[in-house]
Amino acid sequence: MVPRLLKLLNYLPPEFTYEASHILIESGVVVNYHSYGIKMPIEINGRLIKNPIGLGAGIDKDGFLTPQMVRTGIGFITIGSVTLKPRPGNPKPRIVKYPGLRAMVNAMGLPSRGFLDFLDRLPGLVRMARRLGVYAIVSLAGFSIGEFLYMLDRIRAYDIDAVEINISSPTYHGSWLTNSNYLGDLLRLIDSFPKLLFVKLPLGADMGFYRWIVGIANERGYGLTIANTLPIRESRISVGYGGLSGYPIYPLVKALIIKARKWGFINPIIGLGGVMHGWQVLDLMRSGANLVGVVTAFSYEGPFAFSRLLRELSMEVSERH
Ligand SMILES: Cc1cc2nc3c(=O)[nH]c(=O)nc-3n(C[C@H](O)[C@H](O)[C@H](O)COP(=O)(O)O)c2cc1C
């Protein structure tokens, strides 16, 4: 009944759906607490993660959904992206859905209540994630090296598992991606951070860029999150552009993971982009991903996406044995 209602929400204005589903999840009404007993532990730098499926960045930007999300059976959660200063994000409309394609375009503009507000709540969030055995990643978005260094310095003291460095959001207007000297300085300067760092790659960059950044991440021991959305024009969005996510980007994501491994990348990879079915989780893992995230599937189905994916993965795994 509830999953059907959530499906209907997809045909209402996307902004309304986004806000309504957040209220429903935060209130605990639509959480599904099954994990289908799937036993598929993944080891990341000596830490065992109960299963490879998790939430990618962008749904739980300020951590308000974390208390419910960690009960959905997922192996990891990415909280954020959070920015140093509070941001309202772009004017609405900033989401367009293509239900037939299981895709969407968003230009949220990195809205967040800001890093300091987030830090106040972080210890409670981490405790909940720990209690339920969920690997906790915080995604940081920064507009300068100074902002990233400040946030990394402050977050060191917290018991999170990893940080994701978001340098690939369409909101940056490509600034990190067009100035490779500046990006190179950032990637060098964050290297003393004591926990695992994941660098989140863009889609739509050229091969030279990918080779370069994969090489740096390999050398410095960073993981990679492959990938962010694909920047495209969309006139129905207030700012006229956005990032495409969902099913159509899956082949690009898979190809990039395969490339990174072919180039000798040995650190952990989170595969993220267009995963809608259990077979895709296995497919991305066979292509070289260690963990597999979802965002758009969650946007369409809410937390039921996780129970479905865990069930499908469990069936895929048992069929293969
Ligand atoms: C509504 C929405 C908001 C997003 N916000 C962020 C964000 O704040 N930080 C980030 O790194 N990626 C963000 N993303 C990108 C996702 O984390 C993910 O990389 C992308 O959507 C591809 O995965 P998917 O096809 O499963 O959605 C967002 C995506 C969507 C759809």
Side-chain angles (χ1 to χ4, degrees), residues 18 57-58 61-62 80-91 94 106-114 139-143 147-148 166-173 176 200 228 241:
Y18 186 84
K61 288 186 186 278
D62 290 294
S81 297
V82 66
T83 52
L84 179 57
K85 295 183 191 134
R87 286 171 57 86
N90 289 325
R94 48 193 187 180
N106 92 86
M108 300 297 286
L110 297 170
S112 113
R113 291 167 61 130
S139 165
L140 299 178
F143 291 86
E147 284 193 2
F148 271 121
N166 175 6
I167 42 96
S168 47
S169 167
T171 301
Y172 295 125
H173 302 289
W176 286 110
K200 187 157 182 183
N228 216 315
Y241 67 88

Side-chain angles (χ1 to χ4, degrees), residues 56-304:
I59 294 290
D60 192 13
K61 288 186 186 278
D62 290 294
F64 289 114
L65 304 185
T66 304
Q68 303 299 338
M69 298 305 308
V70 292
R71 296 157 186 235
T72 56
I74 51 176
F76 74 96
I77 182 165
T78 316
I79 312 170
S81 297
V82 66
T83 52
L84 179 57
K85 295 183 191 134
R87 286 171 57 86
N90 289 325
K92 295 172 185 172
R94 48 193 187 180
I95 302 175
V96 171
K97 279 191 173 172
Y98 310 114
L101 291 175
R102 298 263 113 185
M104 60 198 274
V105 174
N106 92 86
M108 300 297 286
L110 297 170
S112 113
R113 291 167 61 130
F115 182 67
L116 296 179
D117 178 89
F118 175 68
L119 280 193
D120 281 345
R121 283 173 289 108
L122 186 54
L125 303 180
V126 173
R127 258 197 312 278
M128 277 177 237
R130 284 260 171 278
R131 199 172 339 119
L132 288 144
V134 177
Y135 189 79
I137 306 172
V138 173
S139 165
L140 299 178
F143 291 86
S144 68
I145 291 179
E147 284 193 2
F148 271 121
L149 293 183
Y150 175 79
M151 291 189 281
L152 285 173
D153 192 45
R154 291 290 307 269
I155 214 163
R156 269 171 183 260
Y158 295 80
D159 190 25
I160 53 174
D161 293 300
V163 168
E164 189 171 272
I165 300 290
N166 175 6
I167 42 96
S168 47
S169 167
T171 301
Y172 295 125
H173 302 289
S175 55
W176 286 110
L177 308 178
T178 48
N179 189 344
S180 54
N181 286 338
Y182 196 60
L183 178 58
D185 287 346
L186 171 74
L187 296 176
R188 196 167 35 78
L189 287 165
I190 58 178
D191 139 307
S192 60
F193 188 72
K195 292 188 177 149
L196 182 58
L197 289 176
F198 286 91
V199 178
K200 187 157 182 183
L201 299 190
L203 286 181
D206 60 64
M207 273 307 147
F209 172 85
Y210 288 126
R211 243 185 198 283
W212 172 76
I213 199 162
V214 167
I216 295 185
N218 208 21
E219 246 167 54
R220 308 231 165 217
Y222 305 151
L224 291 173
T225 302
I226 300 177
N228 216 315
T229 53
L230 179 69
I232 59 164
R233 288 184 193 285
E234 170 50 81
S235 58
R236 286 171 290 172
I237 282 186
S238 66
V239 290
Y241 67 88
L244 178 69
S245 62
Y247 212 54
I249 68 170
Y250 181 74
L252 304 176
V253 166
K254 179 176 166 181
L256 198 49
I257 294 171
I258 291 172
K259 272 263 181 295
R261 290 301 186 203
K262 208 168 146 204
W263 292 333
F265 186 74
I266 56 167
N267 305 326
I269 293 181
I270 302 176
L272 171 64
V275 172
M276 303 279 158
H277 304 290
W279 66 262
Q280 292 174 292
V281 177
L282 274 191
D283 192 38
L284 285 192
M285 293 178 78
R286 264 192 249 110
S287 304
N290 303 82
L291 300 174
V292 174
V294 298
V295 172
T296 298
F298 180 90
S299 301
Y300 274 99
E301 288 171 62
F304 300 98

